[in-house]
Amino acid sequence: MRLHALCKKTWVMSLLVFALVVSLTPVSQAAASLSVSQALENQNNSVQAVKGYVVGQPTGTSTVITSNYPNDYALALADSANETNTDKMVYVQIPSNLRSTFGLQSRSELKGKSLTVTGTLTPYFSHPGIKSVTSISTETEGTDPTPDPTEPTVPVEDYYRTAAGKTGNTLKTQLHNIIDHHTELSYSSVWEALKKTDEDPANANNVILLYTGRSQSKSTNGGGVDDWNREHVWAKSHGDFGTAMGPGTDLHHLRPTDVSVNGTRGNLDFDNGGTEHSEALGNYFDSDSWEPRDEVKGDVARMLFYMAVRYEGDVSDEPDLELNNTVNNGTAPYHGKLSVLLQWNAEDPVDDRERRRNDIIYSDYQHNRNPFIDHPEWVNEIWN
């Protein structure tokens, strides 16, 4: 009996020691990360770390390319480095500050490598994905290579590196690939963004309205007759995209305008001539066109050139927007009048206010640029 009791005591002590060892054993790094298959099953807007192999770059809902990468904006991860079935891949939207480090155009050697990506599990390209990424690390690094936010952003000329020396449709395609897949805003968040992008440099409490040129309090946004609202310079009915995220909320063509003036402009195409607007002097309109004041003619033209390059219909939920030389385009995805816009681009050169606005949109909001503000000469390379 004494021997039995001793054995029992020894067995209990062994269990306690085992439990203590287990409780002190650190959890492995793998346990802290989801697999790609787990990420595919949990597209619930939660923030998670996902570990997988780089298998290519997504360019559509069911398309992943494995060479000749057009840009640095996205990755496809899978649980196997040799996976070819897109249904078993998760698409990663790469933030601007990590593109040069983890984009496949800049670093094609990453294909086949293991990465851990931390971000929000939510669809991208209408496919299970990871967006709002906060960190990406390689298997060998084990550290987050996120750059110091105080460091300068990518130089403008480096941003357009793949477009250098191109002309015509080739240039248009390269610019589209560069500015495509920008960070999209909700329509409600556009209000606050415009208060920064269009701030009056002489009065930080005001914004400058596009057509009137009036400096007006930021707080007077709304629907009242003398309030300011969100003008779609590429009329949202031209392509019928409304206020949907993407073209309907793209800051590069959204501007603060007087409510009643905006109502008069409506969805008119752009052309010279008409009757001068009584509230927006220097602006003219008739039944089928709108002519903005001289000070912003070039601004308007370059916004439309941007839209015609950014939206090519290569993503299922985006329109293919094009410029033509007519008016009365209605709900067709066209905007005119191209010959007049070319004239306005030449007559009203880019100014510091446009450059400042372009920089703010790039650095603070969408992380893409209007190429025709940085390089207005490219307008003639594409459309002349």
Side-chain angles (χ1 to χ4, degrees), residues 250-270:
D250 196 316
L251 291 174
H252 283 296
H253 85 116
L254 284 165
R255 300 295 292 267
T257 56
D258 178 271
V259 167
S260 57
V261 175
N262 190 353
T264 304
R265 188 262 156 154
N267 68 346
L268 297 174
D269 287 278
F270 291 98

Side-chain angles (χ1 to χ4, degrees), residues 97 145-153 363-364:
N97 61 342
T146 304
D148 184 340
T150 62
E151 292 180 358
T153 57
S363 63
D364 295 358

Side-chain angles (χ1 to χ4, degrees), residues 208-227:
I208 299 291
L209 307 190
L210 177 64
Y211 298 130
T212 62
R214 186 169 74 236
S215 177
Q216 184 162 323
S217 172
K218 292 177 178 179
S219 64
T220 60
N221 60 298
V225 65
D226 288 321
D227 288 342

